[in-house]
Amino acid sequence: MKTNETIKIAILDMYDNWANEGMRCIKQIVSRFLDQEGNGGSFEVFNVRANNEIPDLDAFDIFISSGGPGSPLAAGTQWEKDYFDFIDALFAHNHQHTHKKYLFLICHSFQMVCRHLGLAEVSKRQSTSFGVMPIHRIGDGYAEQLFHGLPEPFYAVDSRDFQVTQVDEVRMRELGAQALCLEKERLHIPLERAVMAIRFSPEVFGTQFHPEADSRGMLRYYLMDDKRKWVIETHGEAKYFEMIDRLDDPDKIMLTEAVMIPTFLHHAAEKCKNAMNLVSASSN
């Protein structure tokens, strides 16, 4: 078997069997990446919350942990304990081995890991953040490789009732983590802006928004009568038409979907292949 055919990706489904677009989008991006010339490998989905399925850390190279419904605050469930044990094991592995494991955290997963690692305050928002929103870089965000090719600000789907704020700078320095961007500016609202992405380590990255969202699928979804009615009744007609307009804009989430997770997969796969080649060379 060729080295470039051995990359194995695990998708951690955090949706608890809740109907969603996120898993379709993640699987679509991963499949597209693996099908590209020069790539290869396979992926497997683990239903973390509903079935308490956790991937074997040793069996996979790259992990993507999805968004999901409900509260990211302490639940005391067995799946939560097992999930955090997996997170701790991944960080420990990367400290101890040259063949690293790579992890991308999305929304609910991002919030949970921020809380688990003590990096910031995770709390309920006063109101739901929903729509296609501008994301603004700060500090190290201007040099972040996963943002290369995106404008300032860039746009992404935001859908959450909770938020990550009040970053603990001491704890961030202890872990070598970097806050990279903030949610949209709200000049007339005296509330702290949420942190929208963190580089936890060279191998672990997370966003509070949904970089996996694809414009065409999301547009089809929200043009459905029941979904259109729900958005208008919940968030207002103006928010609905703003979202539809931004979903159809090639410079907004279409661009974010094409850049962020594919770039993560590309860099992670290259690092994994290099590590595999070193192991192969040393054993010959």
Side-chain angles (χ1 to χ4, degrees):
M1 180 178 287
K2 295 179 182 179
T3 299
N4 66 7
E5 294 176 340
T6 63
I7 294 297
K8 292 182 172 57
I9 301 173
I11 301 174
L12 284 70
D13 178 354
M14 302 287 280
Y15 279 98
D16 200 20
N17 289 339
W18 182 69
N20 68 92
E21 286 288 290
M23 285 301 299
R24 176 189 64 80
C25 294
I26 293 169
K27 289 187 282 188
Q28 178 176 272
I29 292 172
V30 170
S31 296
R32 188 186 300 138
F33 173 78
L34 293 174
D35 288 342
Q36 289 172 355
E37 184 177 356
N39 296 325
S42 61
F43 75 88
E44 188 173 343
V45 176
F46 294 83
N47 193 337
V48 176
R49 294 169 67 178
N51 297 344
N52 197 28
E53 296 174 353
I54 300 291
D56 179 354
L57 187 65
D58 293 332
F60 296 91
D61 307 291
I62 302 171
F63 304 85
I64 299 178
S65 190
S66 79
S71 171
L73 304 180
T77 57
Q78 186 61 46
W79 74 259
E80 182 186 63
K81 178 184 181 301
D82 293 344
Y83 180 74
F84 288 147
D85 285 347
F86 164 78
I87 296 296
D88 292 341
L90 186 144
F91 277 99
H93 171 95
N94 286 345
H95 282 302
Q96 298 163 8
H97 297 83
T98 56
H99 187 175
K100 309 296 187 182
K101 305 291 182 175
Y102 294 83
L103 170 64
F104 197 110
L105 301 158
I106 299 172
C107 197
H108 190 87
S109 298
F110 171 79
Q111 294 165 346
M112 287 187 64
V113 172
C114 283
R115 173 174 65 82
H116 176 63
L117 296 178
L119 289 176
E121 180 75 19
V122 181
S123 61
K124 198 171 192 312
R125 288 176 54 88
Q126 289 189 1
S127 61
T128 300
S129 180
F130 178 82
V132 178
M133 303 293 194
I135 311 294
H136 297 265
R137 291 171 176 83
I138 58 170
D140 294 304
Y142 288 97
E144 171 56 49
Q145 63 181 3
L146 299 194
F147 296 158
H148 289 176
L150 296 177
E152 172 56 36
F154 62 91
Y155 284 78
V157 169
D158 195 18
S159 178
R160 59 192 167 85
D161 292 313
F162 291 81
Q163 61 184 355
V164 172
T165 57
Q166 299 180 34
V167 168
D168 185 330
E169 298 292 352
V170 173
R171 181 63 175 149
M172 293 281 283
R173 286 194 295 272
E174 287 176 356
L175 292 180
Q178 303 162 333
L180 304 175
C181 52
L182 300 176
E183 66 181 329
K184 68 178 183 179
E185 295 177 314
R186 299 170 297 180
L187 299 178
H188 304 294
I189 301 177
L191 294 174
E192 185 176 358
R193 293 160 68 195
V195 176
M196 298 302 284
I198 290 176
R199 166 69 64 182
F200 293 85
S201 74
E203 302 82 25
V204 180
F205 187 92
T207 68
Q208 195 158 214
F209 54 88
H210 288 270
E212 79 278 17
D214 77 306
S215 58
R216 291 181 181 177
M218 296 289 287
L219 193 58
R220 284 195 303 270
Y221 183 78
Y222 284 111
L223 286 174
M224 295 168 62
D225 288 342
D226 59 331
K227 302 301 183 296
R228 181 178 67 247
K229 181 179 179 182
W230 175 81
V231 174
I232 291 174
E233 289 180 350
T234 307
H235 302 284
E237 190 173 58
K239 172 63 71 175
Y240 175 79
F241 285 109
E242 175 193 73
M243 182 182 67
I244 294 300
D245 180 63
R246 289 178 173 179
L247 283 173
D248 205 29
D249 187 333
D251 294 324
K252 291 189 168 61
I253 75 162
M254 199 178 300
L255 183 59
T256 302
E257 182 222 359
V259 168
M260 195 170 295
I261 296 179
T263 301
F264 165 79
L265 290 171
H266 171 75
H267 284 288
E270 285 300 310
K271 294 288 188 181
C272 290
K273 290 174 189 176
N274 290 341
M276 292 173 189
N277 288 333
L278 287 174
V279 170
S280 177
S282 64
S283 62
N284 290 334

